[in-house]
Amino acid sequence: MNSIQARFNLIYPRFKYTCRNLSVHGPSFLARKDVNFIYRFIYFIIYINVWVFAVASIYKYITTYQEDTIRFTTRTDYLDWNTTFPSITICENANIDKLSRQIQKLQIENGDKMATFAKEIAFFSGECQSCNYNYENDFIITKEFLNLTSAFRSDCKSLFVRCTWDDKPMNCCKHFKPIQTEYGLCYSMNNNQIGEKHTPYYVATSENRRLGILELVLSENYEAFLHSPEDVPYWNMENDRRATVLYGSRGSILFSVVDIVNEPEVSLTAPEIRQCRFPNESPENFKGYKYYSYSVCIIQCRIEAQLELCNCTSHLSPVEYNDRYCDLEGLKCLTKHYGTLKKLRVPGTNDTGLNCKCLSSCVEPDYNIIAKKFSDPERELTSAILKIILSNRPYERVTRQVARTTLDLVVAMGNCFGLCFGGSLLSIVEVVYYVCFKQWKYTNVNLVH
């Protein structure tokens, strides 16, 4: 007890001396003996309220900095823009007649049943109802599913018949490179995930203002996807940016594009604050794709859910998961959980589906589909034709800017501190000096008196 009293007798005079000599408003007035106690008490109440106001204001600054850091502005100085044509991905659709002919070539019994099985394996869409059949001939089901998929899908040269860019012929397989998707092996143009250097097609430059028109002529039914260069087609992609083209039909897609440009300061903020990720900010656990995008995040989320529910993943997943590909029993498990694995849960609802907390891409342009037109299949037409056309020249672009930087936050907090207490950075140094560096042993005698 005596020790506590002795420490108090030593610390209390030092505290009074510090308050009396501080340059900030408040403590010096409260420590004065020549001021009546009632006045000091009233001043103390006011001082406490000022502190409450200051803390609330600083908390508001910090909250605004975290939640309202990014702003968007629209620019129309389009003369100096280079607008890149979107990535176009082509995925072959199942053709049951073609599969039946291939089954017949292999001279396998129960051709219809085997063709159905081959269709659900080669073009796996999340469920395999035919995996529950009792097969007498196990020629197909004992093969590795990845090899079976390759056997029943067309390669690039047999799938593409002709490609043109602005009515000029182009080498289809030179620009459409294979890429693994949830639909299996597809062929994509202008896609950065391929990992090879490619020359993008520009649809608008300061020198050439012509519109870009891509025409594709293919030999099979296929599905075309229009997306950003970092994206990969996935099961839940919006319907307006995909189109099914049947053999013997013609189709066209008219679209417009609004590019998004990020100021350099945006990359210095955390992804959770700006609510998006740049392509080079892919998390370490993401496998199979080099760059981040929203679709890559959804694919990774689905793979992790498949591994959790069935301890295996689809044989159409990236090759990095080849040691975790499902066997027949695994496909039955994926089919059982089809309703959960195929859908995405809408936030705030209790619907079944995946709960994927994926941020959008910071660089993904806004593609607006103006119109889609498709004709019925014609017997005279021996191919599937699709034209993808930029409907108008880009006349605006969106810029993502940092509305409040860390420096802005520091300045706002400093202004609040100065307004409420008349303090500055030197005031903080002053407090540190009295607490940590003041040579009290030379002033103890004066403090006591």
Side-chain angles (χ1 to χ4, degrees), residues 111-157:
D112 293 340
K113 183 187 293 186
M114 288 300 179
T116 302
F117 178 77
K119 171 182 174 294
E120 293 192 333
I121 295 298
F123 300 90
F124 183 70
S125 60
E127 60 179 343
C128 178
Q129 299 295 342
S130 59
C131 290
N132 296 314
Y133 295 163
N134 294 321
Y135 295 97
E136 297 176 0
N137 190 325
D138 59 356
F139 177 78
I140 289 183
I141 63 175
T142 55
K143 296 185 67 175
E144 292 185 8
F145 292 148
L146 190 60
N147 295 335
L148 182 64
T149 300
S150 301
F152 287 95
R153 297 179 74 114
S154 303
D155 59 12
C156 181
K157 291 184 178 180

